[in-house]
Amino acid sequence: MQETSNGTTAIQKKAKEDRYQYHDYYGIDELLSEEHLLARGAVRDWVKSEVSPVIEEYAERAECPRHLFKGLAEIGAFGPSLPEKYGCGGMDEIAYGIIMQELERGDSGIRSMASVQGSLVMYPIYRFGSEEQKMHYLPKLASGEYIGCFGLTEPDHGSNPGGMITNVKDDGDAYILNGAKMWITNSPVADIAVVWAKNEEGKILGMIVEKGMKGLSAPEIHGKWSLRASITGELIFEDVRVPKKNVLPNVVGLKGPLSCLSKARYGIAWGAIGAALDCYDTALRYSQERIQFGKPIGGFQLTQKKLAEMITEITKAQLLAWRLGTLANVGKATPAQISMAKRNNVYTALTVAREARQILGGMGITNEYPIMRHMMNLETVLTYEGTHDIHLLITGMDVTGINAFK
Ligand code: TGC
Ligand code: FAD
């Protein structure tokens, strides 16, 4: 890449010119590599051309824009930090985070499609699967040929997945799977599900359950006021015969699914910033254009207080995500650090959305602007992948050394 006279490359220069648009108040772009900026630009362009023009309508109809799975695959959103050998991106963890940020600027549900596929389906197969399973499933998932889902939560076991009752019984070369999973993103449209179930000794195993297996059904859950452009369902297992070759051989116990959650929660810590930026950007522009009492509402101190606090909190969230990314790149991001970032950044985004909604007055509640959709989406993001309070307790446990869950 050609350098300019002051040593910055053309891409860095362009990112700087776009600074206002990206709201990079603390110059974090200077800490990003050429690859990060390229990935961000490509995903952002895709979101602008493919997601933003249609997302309000899909959300209004509570319909999943299924055609976007292919596009997400083409821009490398599925498993961006998994190895190229399996058809994945081979990028670092910061690139993965930035991709999630740009997707969630479009819609949390679109980011969810990528989070589940990459972090909750491909990652466990990559981390805990056999080489044969990796070669068989990962390229198909990376290319969007297969859609995957992740079954951990049950009707009676949400925050406490260790209490799960979904179970398998040994039957020679297969396991017989019984039970039910609830609130499963993408389950009604999924080709495969990574499912966590207890064996006869009470140990948790992970397995790949395929669409079409007898006894498997995945009814859709209707009536969500949040994440309406993302499809959610159940997974019901009635004597499903799962071949033993479908079991992930390299993990036993709750740390299997919880490790996947760490990967996905990391992505959400970045993703939420995207939703916050879209709300902030919308409110800032509106405040400069909307005239009341003879001047733009952005000229009133109370509006400036809202905007100043929004950009302060967004900047803190950006710094947290960036530092977490540098730790993740060297394998040093702890689950508790990830919990802190997920909790803080999602709450920041929700607060920003609520403040932005106020700045737009009545217009803020309409689908002319993206704020209400982001706000409703973020209510789910605050709850899934571990609720706001569960992450608080994880931090509490980390700093006190005392486990509030036992
Ligand atoms: P606990 O005894 O603390 O831990 C059991 C084992 O797991 C290890 N561990 C972790 N490992 C990796 N990453 C993490 N984040 C880990 N957290 C714990 C731990 O070291 C231990 O290992 P070992 O070797 O000693 O066995 O387990 P617990 O039963 O007391 O539970 C602790 C608690 C409450 C923190 C945990 O259960 C929890 O995180 N609950 C929240 C459940 C949750 O987040 N569910 C999410 C479902 S998936 C989802 O929402 C997808 S949304 C998808 C989308 O659309 O984007
Ligand atoms: P509960 O666990 O019943 O919690 C209810 C309330 O009690 C919460 O406020 C919680 O913080 C609080 N609480 C619970 N325990 C404690 C405690 N010890 N101390 C203090 N407060 C406590 N799951 C999957 O496996 N795969 C998916 O793809 C998936 N996608 C989802 C998509 C959507 C749209 C939604 C809404 C959820 C999804 N989930 C998924 C499930 C999600 O992870 C759970 O909803 C979440 O973990 C909380 O579980 P719960 O809803 O059963 O709430």
Side-chain angles (χ1 to χ4, degrees):
M1 184 61 60
Q2 209 176 5
E3 288 199 354
T4 59
S5 55
N6 64 359
T8 54
T9 66
I11 289 172
Q12 281 165 335
K13 191 163 168 280
K14 170 146 189 344
K16 222 169 189 161
E17 284 162 7
D18 284 347
R19 182 173 164 189
Y20 182 74
Q21 191 182 2
Y22 283 111
H23 303 299
D24 178 24
Y25 203 77
Y26 257 48
I28 297 169
D29 274 5
E30 287 166 29
L31 302 169
L32 302 179
S33 70
E34 201 81 16
E35 184 180 64
H36 300 146
L37 296 173
L38 269 173
R40 183 175 72 185
V43 178
R44 191 172 164 76
D45 287 348
W46 181 81
V47 168
K48 263 191 195 163
S49 69
E50 304 299 319
V51 177
S52 300
V54 300
I55 194 65
E56 292 294 347
E57 286 167 24
Y58 276 95
E60 197 173 325
R61 293 198 301 268
E63 184 185 335
C64 172
R66 283 179 67 173
H67 66 282
L68 293 181
F69 276 105
K70 271 280 170 211
L72 282 164
E74 278 160 20
I75 58 166
F78 295 153
S81 60
L82 298 181
E84 289 169 88
K85 175 182 171 192
Y86 303 112
C88 306
M91 291 189 274
D92 71 2
E93 297 299 327
I94 292 183
Y96 158 48
I98 284 174
I99 291 171
M100 296 301 123
Q101 174 187 288
E102 292 310 315
L103 292 179
E104 197 147 357
R105 200 192 282 263
D107 189 81
S108 302
I110 304 301
R111 195 267 306 133
S112 251
M113 285 156 110
S115 291
V116 170
Q117 185 92 342
S119 303
L120 296 179
V121 179
M122 295 168 70
Y123 178 71
I125 295 174
Y126 167 68
R127 171 112 185 252
F128 304 123
S130 65
E131 192 57 29
E132 199 185 335
Q133 289 169 338
K134 292 183 210 182
M135 292 309 286
H136 179 69
Y137 292 107
L138 293 180
K140 291 186 173 67
L141 289 159
S143 69
E145 181 185 340
Y146 278 6
I147 296 172
C149 68
F150 177 86
L152 180 64
T153 305
E154 300 189 350
D156 295 327
H157 299 93
S159 297
N160 176 26
M164 70 174 68
I165 52 177
T166 297
N167 63 87
V168 286
K169 290 202 168 46
D170 200 322
D171 189 35
D173 61 354
Y175 282 115
I176 306 300
L177 174 65
N178 276 290
K181 299 289 177 180
M182 175 92 176
W183 294 118
I184 308 304
T185 301
N186 293 343
S187 76
V189 297
D191 300 287
I192 65 166
V194 169
V195 175
W196 303 91
K198 280 185 180 162
N199 68 11
E200 285 147 294
E201 294 160 24
K203 292 191 171 137
I204 294 171
L205 304 179
M207 59 205 70
I208 302 162
V209 178
E210 300 192 19
K211 187 175 172 174
M213 284 181 172
K214 199 163 162 254
L216 169 68
S217 56
E220 184 174 348
I221 295 173
H222 295 282
K224 291 182 297 161
W225 285 113
S226 173
L227 230 60
R228 286 169 67 81
S230 164
I231 188 162
T232 316
E234 297 172 61
L235 284 170
I236 299 168
F237 315 107
E238 291 170 309
D239 288 331
V240 179
R241 200 175 159 78
V242 183
K244 280 190 178 160
K245 69 173 174 54
N246 283 32
V247 172
L248 300 176
N250 299 321
V251 74
V252 174
L254 194 57
K255 66 174 180 289
L258 291 183
S259 309
C260 309
L261 294 185
S262 282
K263 185 90 175 158
R265 290 165 178 172
Y266 167 84
I268 291 173
W270 280 88
I273 298 169
L277 284 169
D278 199 36
C279 293
Y280 171 74
D281 186 71
T282 306
L284 179 62
R285 287 168 199 270
Y286 191 87
S287 76
Q288 290 160 335
E289 286 159 15
R290 174 72 175 165
I291 310 287
Q292 288 294 289
F293 300 97
K295 68 175 188 179
I297 57 169
F300 297 118
Q301 289 178 353
L302 289 176
T303 309
Q304 290 188 5
K305 176 177 186 289
K306 288 187 178 72
L307 290 165
E309 285 176 352
M310 284 155 77
I311 193 61
T312 303
E313 291 309 312
I314 288 172
T315 302
K316 282 151 72 177
Q318 287 171 325
L319 288 165
L320 204 54
W322 175 79
R323 175 61 184 149
L324 189 67
T326 65
L327 290 171
N329 273 346
V330 292
K332 280 193 182 165
T334 66
Q337 286 171 330
I338 293 170
S339 281
M340 181 185 279
K342 189 267 183 185
R343 179 176 185 273
N344 181 78
N345 291 8
V346 175
Y347 189 70
T348 291
L350 189 53
T351 309
V352 165
R354 287 172 179 158
E355 293 289 277
R357 213 290 301 151
Q358 287 197 63
I359 289 177
L360 268 74
M363 289 310 287
I365 69 157
T366 71
N367 63 4
E368 289 285 307
Y369 294 92
I371 294 174
M372 199 73 187
R373 176 171 47 80
H374 281 307
M375 193 199 297
M376 292 194 297
N377 284 342
L378 288 163
E379 290 291 343
T380 286
V381 184
L382 196 76
T383 287
Y384 70 20
E385 300 275 3
T387 69
H388 190 63
D389 285 344
I390 290 296
H391 289 297
L392 176 94
L393 294 174
I394 292 172
T395 306
M397 174 163 61
D398 200 44
V399 298
T400 63
I402 305 166
N403 188 336
F405 300 110
K406 310 266 185 205

